[in-house]
Amino acid sequence: MHDDEQAIRNLIASWIEASADGDVERLRLLMADDVVFLTPCQAPLRGRDAFMAVFEKGLQHYRIDARSEVREVRVVGDSAYCWTHLTVTITPTKTGLPMRRSGDALSFLQKQAGGNWVIVRDANMLMPEPAPAGSM
């Protein structure tokens, strides 16, 4: 496996771990200032600060547990894309049932001057999973 591909796989693993830990500073380092997140039925979320505000607000009410399966990484010079399948469980910290979403995500990455990779665009198609039988 090429070093850049492994670095991108490590970035995805770091993102999952930092999200679970609520480590906002670590997440901040994994994305470009002008990052854009695209999700179903939502306006684009533009910029690292906008993402961080939404994420930090969410941490006040929810715990995030995610799993990812990297399906493909392609590197072309200092640009790359990564296709992953994600399963995310969002659990209220006080009361309520966990919500589970799953689907595919396509991330575009850029290699920085120091050699580290950051997410510059991310489109995810996570949709709610149906509640298990008997959970109502």
mmCIF file with all atom_site columns, all heavy atoms in Angstrom, residues 110-136:
data_model
loop_
_atom_site.group_PDB
_atom_site.id
_atom_site.type_symbol
_atom_site.label_atom_id
_atom_site.label_alt_id
_atom_site.label_comp_id
_atom_site.label_asym_id
_atom_site.label_entity_id
_atom_site.label_seq_id
_atom_site.pdbx_PDB_ins_code
_atom_site.Cartn_x
_atom_site.Cartn_y
_atom_site.Cartn_z
_atom_site.occupancy
_atom_site.B_iso_or_equiv
_atom_site.pdbx_formal_charge
_atom_site.auth_seq_id
_atom_site.auth_comp_id
_atom_site.auth_asym_id
_atom_site.auth_atom_id
_atom_site.pdbx_PDB_model_num
ATOM 1   N N   . GLN A 1 110 ? -6.811  16.818 0.296  1.00 0.00 ? 110 GLN A N   1
ATOM 2   C CA  . GLN A 1 110 ? -5.697  17.576 -0.268 1.00 0.00 ? 110 GLN A CA  1
ATOM 3   C C   . GLN A 1 110 ? -4.489  17.385 0.652  1.00 0.00 ? 110 GLN A C   1
ATOM 4   O O   . GLN A 1 110 ? -4.623  17.444 1.877  1.00 0.00 ? 110 GLN A O   1
ATOM 5   C CB  . GLN A 1 110 ? -6.061  19.059 -0.341 1.00 0.00 ? 110 GLN A CB  1
ATOM 6   C CG  . GLN A 1 110 ? -5.098  19.906 -1.113 1.00 0.00 ? 110 GLN A CG  1
ATOM 7   C CD  . GLN A 1 110 ? -5.196  19.638 -2.610 1.00 0.00 ? 110 GLN A CD  1
ATOM 8   O OE1 . GLN A 1 110 ? -6.278  19.536 -3.148 1.00 0.00 ? 110 GLN A OE1 1
ATOM 9   N NE2 . GLN A 1 110 ? -4.062  19.508 -3.256 1.00 0.00 ? 110 GLN A NE2 1
ATOM 10  N N   . LYS A 1 111 ? -3.336  17.182 0.044  1.00 0.00 ? 111 LYS A N   1
ATOM 11  C CA  . LYS A 1 111 ? -2.101  17.052 0.813  1.00 0.00 ? 111 LYS A CA  1
ATOM 12  C C   . LYS A 1 111 ? -1.566  18.452 1.091  1.00 0.00 ? 111 LYS A C   1
ATOM 13  O O   . LYS A 1 111 ? -1.417  19.264 0.178  1.00 0.00 ? 111 LYS A O   1
ATOM 14  C CB  . LYS A 1 111 ? -1.072  16.236 0.027  1.00 0.00 ? 111 LYS A CB  1
ATOM 15  C CG  . LYS A 1 111 ? 0.114   15.797 0.834  1.00 0.00 ? 111 LYS A CG  1
ATOM 16  C CD  . LYS A 1 111 ? 0.968   14.849 0.010  1.00 0.00 ? 111 LYS A CD  1
ATOM 17  C CE  . LYS A 1 111 ? 2.002   14.155 0.841  1.00 0.00 ? 111 LYS A CE  1
ATOM 18  N NZ  . LYS A 1 111 ? 2.788   13.216 -0.001 1.00 0.00 ? 111 LYS A NZ  1
ATOM 19  N N   . GLN A 1 112 ? -1.278  18.720 2.344  1.00 0.00 ? 112 GLN A N   1
ATOM 20  C CA  . GLN A 1 112 ? -0.783  20.021 2.762  1.00 0.00 ? 112 GLN A CA  1
ATOM 21  C C   . GLN A 1 112 ? 0.739   20.110 2.575  1.00 0.00 ? 112 GLN A C   1
ATOM 22  O O   . GLN A 1 112 ? 1.414   19.099 2.387  1.00 0.00 ? 112 GLN A O   1
ATOM 23  C CB  . GLN A 1 112 ? -1.145  20.267 4.235  1.00 0.00 ? 112 GLN A CB  1
ATOM 24  C CG  . GLN A 1 112 ? -2.639  20.197 4.513  1.00 0.00 ? 112 GLN A CG  1
ATOM 25  C CD  . GLN A 1 112 ? -3.398  21.303 3.838  1.00 0.00 ? 112 GLN A CD  1
ATOM 26  O OE1 . GLN A 1 112 ? -3.295  22.449 4.222  1.00 0.00 ? 112 GLN A OE1 1
ATOM 27  N NE2 . GLN A 1 112 ? -4.159  20.966 2.799  1.00 0.00 ? 112 GLN A NE2 1
ATOM 28  N N   . ALA A 1 113 ? 1.264   21.316 2.689  1.00 0.00 ? 113 ALA A N   1
ATOM 29  C CA  . ALA A 1 113 ? 2.699   21.547 2.494  1.00 0.00 ? 113 ALA A CA  1
ATOM 30  C C   . ALA A 1 113 ? 3.542   20.681 3.433  1.00 0.00 ? 113 ALA A C   1
ATOM 31  O O   . ALA A 1 113 ? 4.608   20.209 3.059  1.00 0.00 ? 113 ALA A O   1
ATOM 32  C CB  . ALA A 1 113 ? 3.025   23.028 2.694  1.00 0.00 ? 113 ALA A CB  1
ATOM 33  N N   . GLY A 1 114 ? 3.068   20.443 4.638  1.00 0.00 ? 114 GLY A N   1
ATOM 34  C CA  . GLY A 1 114 ? 3.814   19.633 5.604  1.00 0.00 ? 114 GLY A CA  1
ATOM 35  C C   . GLY A 1 114 ? 3.698   18.137 5.377  1.00 0.00 ? 114 GLY A C   1
ATOM 36  O O   . GLY A 1 114 ? 4.296   17.348 6.099  1.00 0.00 ? 114 GLY A O   1
ATOM 37  N N   . GLY A 1 115 ? 2.885   17.737 4.379  1.00 0.00 ? 115 GLY A N   1
ATOM 38  C CA  . GLY A 1 115 ? 2.751   16.323 4.062  1.00 0.00 ? 115 GLY A CA  1
ATOM 39  C C   . GLY A 1 115 ? 1.519   15.650 4.633  1.00 0.00 ? 115 GLY A C   1
ATOM 40  O O   . GLY A 1 115 ? 1.240   14.503 4.292  1.00 0.00 ? 115 GLY A O   1
ATOM 41  N N   . ASN A 1 116 ? 0.784   16.351 5.509  1.00 0.00 ? 116 ASN A N   1
ATOM 42  C CA  . ASN A 1 116 ? -0.424  15.741 6.066  1.00 0.00 ? 116 ASN A CA  1
ATOM 43  C C   . ASN A 1 116 ? -1.608  15.953 5.114  1.00 0.00 ? 116 ASN A C   1
ATOM 44  O O   . ASN A 1 116 ? -1.651  16.897 4.339  1.00 0.00 ? 116 ASN A O   1
ATOM 45  C CB  . ASN A 1 116 ? -0.732  16.299 7.458  1.00 0.00 ? 116 ASN A CB  1
ATOM 46  C CG  . ASN A 1 116 ? -1.013  17.778 7.450  1.00 0.00 ? 116 ASN A CG  1
ATOM 47  O OD1 . ASN A 1 116 ? -0.232  18.564 6.908  1.00 0.00 ? 116 ASN A OD1 1
ATOM 48  N ND2 . ASN A 1 116 ? -2.123  18.170 8.043  1.00 0.00 ? 116 ASN A ND2 1
ATOM 49  N N   . TRP A 1 117 ? -2.563  15.055 5.184  1.00 0.00 ? 117 TRP A N   1
ATOM 50  C CA  . TRP A 1 117 ? -3.764  15.117 4.362  1.00 0.00 ? 117 TRP A CA  1
ATOM 51  C C   . TRP A 1 117 ? -4.903  15.719 5.170  1.00 0.00 ? 117 TRP A C   1
ATOM 52  O O   . TRP A 1 117 ? -4.999  15.487 6.382  1.00 0.00 ? 117 TRP A O   1
ATOM 53  C CB  . TRP A 1 117 ? -4.156  13.718 3.893  1.00 0.00 ? 117 TRP A CB  1
ATOM 54  C CG  . TRP A 1 117 ? -3.232  13.177 2.850  1.00 0.00 ? 117 TRP A CG  1
ATOM 55  C CD1 . TRP A 1 117 ? -2.099  12.463 3.068  1.00 0.00 ? 117 TRP A CD1 1
ATOM 56  C CD2 . TRP A 1 117 ? -3.370  13.323 1.445  1.00 0.00 ? 117 TRP A CD2 1
ATOM 57  N NE1 . TRP A 1 117 ? -1.503  12.152 1.866  1.00 0.00 ? 117 TRP A NE1 1
ATOM 58  C CE2 . TRP A 1 117 ? -2.273  12.664 0.855  1.00 0.00 ? 117 TRP A CE2 1
ATOM 59  C CE3 . TRP A 1 117 ? -4.306  13.941 0.615  1.00 0.00 ? 117 TRP A CE3 1
ATOM 60  C CZ2 . TRP A 1 117 ? -2.096  12.599 -0.522 1.00 0.00 ? 117 TRP A CZ2 1
ATOM 61  C CZ3 . TRP A 1 117 ? -4.131  13.876 -0.752 1.00 0.00 ? 117 TRP A CZ3 1
ATOM 62  C CH2 . TRP A 1 117 ? -3.035  13.214 -1.314 1.00 0.00 ? 117 TRP A CH2 1
ATOM 63  N N   . VAL A 1 118 ? -5.770  16.493 4.508  1.00 0.00 ? 118 VAL A N   1
ATOM 64  C CA  . VAL A 1 118 ? -6.959  17.054 5.143  1.00 0.00 ? 118 VAL A CA  1
ATOM 65  C C   . VAL A 1 118 ? -8.153  16.861 4.217  1.00 0.00 ? 118 VAL A C   1
ATOM 66  O O   . VAL A 1 118 ? -8.010  16.781 2.995  1.00 0.00 ? 118 VAL A O   1
ATOM 67  C CB  . VAL A 1 118 ? -6.810  18.551 5.504  1.00 0.00 ? 118 VAL A CB  1
ATOM 68  C CG1 . VAL A 1 118 ? -5.758  18.754 6.581  1.00 0.00 ? 118 VAL A CG1 1
ATOM 69  C CG2 . VAL A 1 118 ? -6.518  19.389 4.271  1.00 0.00 ? 118 VAL A CG2 1
ATOM 70  N N   . ILE A 1 119 ? -9.323  16.798 4.811  1.00 0.00 ? 119 ILE A N   1
ATOM 71  C CA  . ILE A 1 119 ? -10.565 16.706 4.048  1.00 0.00 ? 119 ILE A CA  1
ATOM 72  C C   . ILE A 1 119 ? -10.923 18.094 3.543  1.00 0.00 ? 119 ILE A C   1
ATOM 73  O O   . ILE A 1 119 ? -10.930 19.056 4.323  1.00 0.00 ? 119 ILE A O   1
ATOM 74  C CB  . ILE A 1 119 ? -11.701 16.142 4.916  1.00 0.00 ? 119 ILE A CB  1
ATOM 75  C CG1 . ILE A 1 119 ? -11.356 14.721 5.373  1.00 0.00 ? 119 ILE A CG1 1
ATOM 76  C CG2 . ILE A 1 119 ? -13.040 16.170 4.161  1.00 0.00 ? 119 ILE A CG2 1
ATOM 77  C CD1 . ILE A 1 119 ? -12.299 14.154 6.411  1.00 0.00 ? 119 ILE A CD1 1
ATOM 78  N N   . VAL A 1 120 ? -11.212 18.206 2.249  1.00 0.00 ? 120 VAL A N   1
ATOM 79  C CA  . VAL A 1 120 ? -11.630 19.491 1.679  1.00 0.00 ? 120 VAL A CA  1
ATOM 80  C C   . VAL A 1 120 ? -13.098 19.477 1.262  1.00 0.00 ? 120 VAL A C   1
ATOM 81  O O   . VAL A 1 120 ? -13.756 20.516 1.277  1.00 0.00 ? 120 VAL A O   1
ATOM 82  C CB  . VAL A 1 120 ? -10.733 19.947 0.511  1.00 0.00 ? 120 VAL A CB  1
ATOM 83  C CG1 . VAL A 1 120 ? -9.327  20.256 0.995  1.00 0.00 ? 120 VAL A CG1 1
ATOM 84  C CG2 . VAL A 1 120 ? -10.696 18.939 -0.604 1.00 0.00 ? 120 VAL A CG2 1
ATOM 85  N N   . ARG A 1 121 ? -13.608 18.320 0.881  1.00 0.00 ? 121 ARG A N   1
ATOM 86  C CA  . ARG A 1 121 ? -15.019 18.163 0.543  1.00 0.00 ? 121 ARG A CA  1
ATOM 87  C C   . ARG A 1 121 ? -15.447 16.787 1.017  1.00 0.00 ? 121 ARG A C   1
ATOM 88  O O   . ARG A 1 121 ? -14.705 15.820 0.912  1.00 0.00 ? 121 ARG A O   1
ATOM 89  C CB  . ARG A 1 121 ? -15.284 18.268 -0.969 1.00 0.00 ? 121 ARG A CB  1
ATOM 90  C CG  . ARG A 1 121 ? -14.856 19.579 -1.597 1.00 0.00 ? 121 ARG A CG  1
ATOM 91  C CD  . ARG A 1 121 ? -15.745 20.734 -1.140 1.00 0.00 ? 121 ARG A CD  1
ATOM 92  N NE  . ARG A 1 121 ? -15.366 21.982 -1.765 1.00 0.00 ? 121 ARG A NE  1
ATOM 93  C CZ  . ARG A 1 121 ? -14.505 22.855 -1.270 1.00 0.00 ? 121 ARG A CZ  1
ATOM 94  N NH1 . ARG A 1 121 ? -13.874 22.599 -0.130 1.00 0.00 ? 121 ARG A NH1 1
ATOM 95  N NH2 . ARG A 1 121 ? -14.256 23.995 -1.890 1.00 0.00 ? 121 ARG A NH2 1
ATOM 96  N N   . ASP A 1 122 ? -16.686 16.710 1.524  1.00 0.00 ? 122 ASP A N   1
ATOM 97  C CA  . ASP A 1 122 ? -17.198 15.432 1.985  1.00 0.00 ? 122 ASP A CA  1
ATOM 98  C C   . ASP A 1 122 ? -18.681 15.364 1.658  1.00 0.00 ? 122 ASP A C   1
ATOM 99  O O   . ASP A 1 122 ? -19.440 16.263 2.024  1.00 0.00 ? 122 ASP A O   1
ATOM 100 C CB  . ASP A 1 122 ? -16.988 15.283 3.497  1.00 0.00 ? 122 ASP A CB  1
ATOM 101 C CG  . ASP A 1 122 ? -17.413 13.921 3.996  1.00 0.00 ? 122 ASP A CG  1
ATOM 102 O OD1 . ASP A 1 122 ? -16.592 12.987 3.902  1.00 0.00 ? 122 ASP A OD1 1
ATOM 103 O OD2 . ASP A 1 122 ? -18.556 13.790 4.453  1.00 0.00 ? 122 ASP A OD2 1
ATOM 104 N N   . ALA A 1 123 ? -19.066 14.336 0.940  1.00 0.00 ? 123 ALA A N   1
ATOM 105 C CA  . ALA A 1 123 ? -20.474 14.112 0.621  1.00 0.00 ? 123 ALA A CA  1
ATOM 106 C C   . ALA A 1 123 ? -20.867 12.774 1.228  1.00 0.00 ? 123 ALA A C   1
ATOM 107 O O   . ALA A 1 123 ? -20.285 11.742 0.893  1.00 0.00 ? 123 ALA A O   1
ATOM 108 C CB  . ALA A 1 123 ? -20.683 14.097 -0.891 1.00 0.00 ? 123 ALA A CB  1
ATOM 109 N N   . ASN A 1 124 ? -21.816 12.825 2.158  1.00 0.00 ? 124 ASN A N   1
ATOM 110 C CA  . ASN A 1 124 ? -22.235 11.544 2.725  1.00 0.00 ? 124 ASN A CA  1
ATOM 111 C C   . ASN A 1 124 ? -23.721 11.335 2.501  1.00 0.00 ? 124 ASN A C   1
ATOM 112 O O   . ASN A 1 124 ? -24.499 12.275 2.461  1.00 0.00 ? 124 ASN A O   1
ATOM 113 C CB  . ASN A 1 124 ? -21.809 11.389 4.190  1.00 0.00 ? 124 ASN A CB  1
ATOM 114 C CG  . ASN A 1 124 ? -22.742 12.028 5.172  1.00 0.00 ? 124 ASN A CG  1
ATOM 115 O OD1 . ASN A 1 124 ? -23.925 11.739 5.194  1.00 0.00 ? 124 ASN A OD1 1
ATOM 116 N ND2 . ASN A 1 124 ? -22.208 12.898 6.006  1.00 0.00 ? 124 ASN A ND2 1
ATOM 117 N N   . MET A 1 125 ? -24.049 10.081 2.310  1.00 0.00 ? 125 MET A N   1
ATOM 118 C CA  . MET A 1 125 ? -25.423 9.692  2.017  1.00 0.00 ? 125 MET A CA  1
ATOM 119 C C   . MET A 1 125 ? -25.979 8.834  3.138  1.00 0.00 ? 125 MET A C   1
ATOM 120 O O   . MET A 1 125 ? -26.711 7.878  2.889  1.00 0.00 ? 125 MET A O   1
ATOM 121 C CB  . MET A 1 125 ? -25.461 8.974  0.668  1.00 0.00 ? 125 MET A CB  1
ATOM 122 C CG  . MET A 1 125 ? -25.112 9.943  -0.464 1.00 0.00 ? 125 MET A CG  1
ATOM 123 S SD  . MET A 1 125 ? -24.409 9.172  -1.916 1.00 0.00 ? 125 MET A SD  1
ATOM 124 C CE  . MET A 1 125 ? -22.713 8.955  -1.433 1.00 0.00 ? 125 MET A CE  1
ATOM 125 N N   . LEU A 1 126 ? -25.623 9.165  4.365  1.00 0.00 ? 126 LEU A N   1
ATOM 126 C CA  . LEU A 1 126 ? -26.127 8.412  5.497  1.00 0.00 ? 126 LEU A CA  1
ATOM 127 C C   . LEU A 1 126 ? -27.624 8.664  5.653  1.00 0.00 ? 126 LEU A C   1
ATOM 128 O O   . LEU A 1 126 ? -28.079 9.809  5.616  1.00 0.00 ? 126 LEU A O   1
ATOM 129 C CB  . LEU A 1 126 ? -25.415 8.822  6.786  1.00 0.00 ? 126 LEU A CB  1
ATOM 130 C CG  . LEU A 1 126 ? -24.102 8.105  7.078  1.00 0.00 ? 126 LEU A CG  1
ATOM 131 C CD1 . LEU A 1 126 ? -23.084 8.324  6.001  1.00 0.00 ? 126 LEU A CD1 1
ATOM 132 C CD2 . LEU A 1 126 ? -23.568 8.516  8.417  1.00 0.00 ? 126 LEU A CD2 1
ATOM 133 N N   . MET A 1 127 ? -28.342 7.586  5.815  1.00 0.00 ? 127 MET A N   1
ATOM 134 C CA  . MET A 1 127 ? -29.787 7.653  6.002  1.00 0.00 ? 127 MET A CA  1
ATOM 135 C C   . MET A 1 127 ? -30.150 6.883  7.259  1.00 0.00 ? 127 MET A C   1
ATOM 136 O O   . MET A 1 127 ? -29.456 5.939  7.645  1.00 0.00 ? 127 MET A O   1
ATOM 137 C CB  . MET A 1 127 ? -30.501 7.047  4.793  1.00 0.00 ? 127 MET A CB  1
ATOM 138 C CG  . MET A 1 127 ? -30.206 7.797  3.484  1.00 0.00 ? 127 MET A CG  1
ATOM 139 S SD  . MET A 1 127 ? -30.766 9.496  3.479  1.00 0.00 ? 127 MET A SD  1
ATOM 140 C CE  . MET A 1 127 ? -32.520 9.289  3.419  1.00 0.00 ? 127 MET A CE  1
ATOM 141 N N   . PRO A 1 128 ? -31.259 7.268  7.896  1.00 0.00 ? 128 PRO A N   1
ATOM 142 C CA  . PRO A 1 128 ? -31.671 6.532  9.107  1.00 0.00 ? 128 PRO A CA  1
ATOM 143 C C   . PRO A 1 128 ? -31.942 5.072  8.778  1.00 0.00 ? 128 PRO A C   1
ATOM 144 O O   . PRO A 1 128 ? -32.503 4.731  7.744  1.00 0.00 ? 128 PRO A O   1
ATOM 145 C CB  . PRO A 1 128 ? -32.966 7.230  9.525  1.00 0.00 ? 128 PRO A CB  1
ATOM 146 C CG  . PRO A 1 128 ? -32.913 8.572  8.858  1.00 0.00 ? 128 PRO A CG  1
ATOM 147 C CD  . PRO A 1 128 ? -32.146 8.382  7.591  1.00 0.00 ? 128 PRO A CD  1
ATOM 148 N N   . GLU A 1 129 ? -31.521 4.204  9.691  1.00 0.00 ? 129 GLU A N   1
ATOM 149 C CA  . GLU A 1 129 ? -31.850 2.789  9.573  1.00 0.00 ? 129 GLU A CA  1
ATOM 150 C C   . GLU A 1 129 ? -33.181 2.558  10.263 1.00 0.00 ? 129 GLU A C   1
ATOM 151 O O   . GLU A 1 129 ? -33.505 3.232  11.246 1.00 0.00 ? 129 GLU A O   1
ATOM 152 C CB  . GLU A 1 129 ? -30.779 1.934  10.241 1.00 0.00 ? 129 GLU A CB  1
ATOM 153 C CG  . GLU A 1 129 ? -29.478 1.911  9.484  1.00 0.00 ? 129 GLU A CG  1
ATOM 154 C CD  . GLU A 1 129 ? -28.491 0.903  10.078 1.00 0.00 ? 129 GLU A CD  1
ATOM 155 O OE1 . GLU A 1 129 ? -28.793 0.243  11.078 1.00 0.00 ? 129 GLU A OE1 1
ATOM 156 O OE2 . GLU A 1 129 ? -27.391 0.794  9.511  1.00 0.00 ? 129 GLU A OE2 1
ATOM 157 N N   . PRO A 1 130 ? -33.976 1.627  9.773  1.00 0.00 ? 130 PRO A N   1
ATOM 158 C CA  . PRO A 1 130 ? -35.250 1.339  10.442 1.00 0.00 ? 130 PRO A CA  1
ATOM 159 C C   . PRO A 1 130 ? -35.010 0.817  11.852 1.00 0.00 ? 130 PRO A C   1
ATOM 160 O O   . PRO A 1 130 ? -33.988 0.185  12.122 1.00 0.00 ? 130 PRO A O   1
ATOM 161 C CB  . PRO A 1 130 ? -35.897 0.277  9.559  1.00 0.00 ? 130 PRO A CB  1
ATOM 162 C CG  . PRO A 1 130 ? -34.914 -0.097 8.519  1.00 0.00 ? 130 PRO A CG  1
ATOM 163 C CD  . PRO A 1 130 ? -33.729 0.801  8.616  1.00 0.00 ? 130 PRO A CD  1
ATOM 164 N N   . ALA A 1 131 ? -35.946 1.117  12.743 1.00 0.00 ? 131 ALA A N   1
ATOM 165 C CA  . ALA A 1 131 ? -35.848 0.623  14.117 1.00 0.00 ? 131 ALA A CA  1
ATOM 166 C C   . ALA A 1 131 ? -35.971 -0.905 14.107 1.00 0.00 ? 131 ALA A C   1
ATOM 167 O O   . ALA A 1 131 ? -36.715 -1.468 13.308 1.00 0.00 ? 131 ALA A O   1
ATOM 168 C CB  . ALA A 1 131 ? -36.967 1.233  14.971 1.00 0.00 ? 131 ALA A CB  1
ATOM 169 N N   . PRO A 1 132 ? -35.214 -1.567 14.975 1.00 0.00 ? 132 PRO A N   1
ATOM 170 C CA  . PRO A 1 132 ? -35.315 -3.026 15.059 1.00 0.00 ? 132 PRO A CA  1
ATOM 171 C C   . PRO A 1 132 ? -36.737 -3.438 15.441 1.00 0.00 ? 132 PRO A C   1
ATOM 172 O O   . PRO A 1 132 ? -37.426 -2.726 16.159 1.00 0.00 ? 132 PRO A O   1
ATOM 173 C CB  . PRO A 1 132 ? -34.316 -3.410 16.151 1.00 0.00 ? 132 PRO A CB  1
ATOM 174 C CG  . PRO A 1 132 ? -33.483 -2.217 16.402 1.00 0.00 ? 132 PRO A CG  1
ATOM 175 C CD  . PRO A 1 132 ? -34.247 -1.023 15.904 1.00 0.00 ? 132 PRO A CD  1
ATOM 176 N N   . ALA A 1 133 ? -37.154 -4.596 14.977 1.00 0.00 ? 133 ALA A N   1
ATOM 177 C CA  . ALA A 1 133 ? -38.484 -5.104 15.298 1.00 0.00 ? 133 ALA A CA  1
ATOM 178 C C   . ALA A 1 133 ? -38.635 -5.219 16.810 1.00 0.00 ? 133 ALA A C   1
ATOM 179 O O   . ALA A 1 133 ? -37.718 -5.629 17.512 1.00 0.00 ? 133 ALA A O   1
ATOM 180 C CB  . ALA A 1 133 ? -38.675 -6.469 14.642 1.00 0.00 ? 133 ALA A CB  1
ATOM 181 N N   . GLY A 1 134 ? -39.780 -4.816 17.291 1.00 0.00 ? 134 GLY A N   1
ATOM 182 C CA  . GLY A 1 134 ? -40.066 -4.913 18.724 1.00 0.00 ? 134 GLY A CA  1
ATOM 183 C C   . GLY A 1 134 ? -39.519 -3.768 19.549 1.00 0.00 ? 134 GLY A C   1
ATOM 184 O O   . GLY A 1 134 ? -39.609 -3.784 20.766 1.00 0.00 ? 134 GLY A O   1
ATOM 185 N N   . SER A 1 135 ? -38.948 -2.739 18.925 1.00 0.00 ? 135 SER A N   1
ATOM 186 C CA  . SER A 1 135 ? -38.363 -1.644 19.709 1.00 0.00 ? 135 SER A CA  1
ATOM 187 C C   . SER A 1 135 ? -39.356 -0.528 19.975 1.00 0.00 ? 135 SER A C   1
ATOM 188 O O   . SER A 1 135 ? -39.052 0.430  20.634 1.00 0.00 ? 135 SER A O   1
ATOM 189 C CB  . SER A 1 135 ? -37.128 -1.082 18.983 1.00 0.00 ? 135 SER A CB  1
ATOM 190 O OG  . SER A 1 135 ? -37.501 -0.493 17.769 1.00 0.00 ? 135 SER A OG  1
ATOM 191 N N   . MET A 1 136 ? -40.553 -0.641 19.450 1.00 0.00 ? 136 MET A N   1
ATOM 192 C CA  . MET A 1 136 ? -41.545 0.422  19.643 1.00 0.00 ? 136 MET A CA  1
ATOM 193 C C   . MET A 1 136 ? -42.459 0.125  20.776 1.00 0.00 ? 136 MET A C   1
ATOM 194 O O   . MET A 1 136 ? -42.766 -0.792 21.244 1.00 0.00 ? 136 MET A O   1
ATOM 195 C CB  . MET A 1 136 ? -42.338 0.641  18.359 1.00 0.00 ? 136 MET A CB  1
ATOM 196 C CG  . MET A 1 136 ? -41.446 1.069  17.243 1.00 0.00 ? 136 MET A CG  1
ATOM 197 S SD  . MET A 1 136 ? -42.367 2.266  16.324 1.00 0.00 ? 136 MET A SD  1
ATOM 198 C CE  . MET A 1 136 ? -41.098 3.223  15.636 1.00 0.00 ? 136 MET A CE  1
#
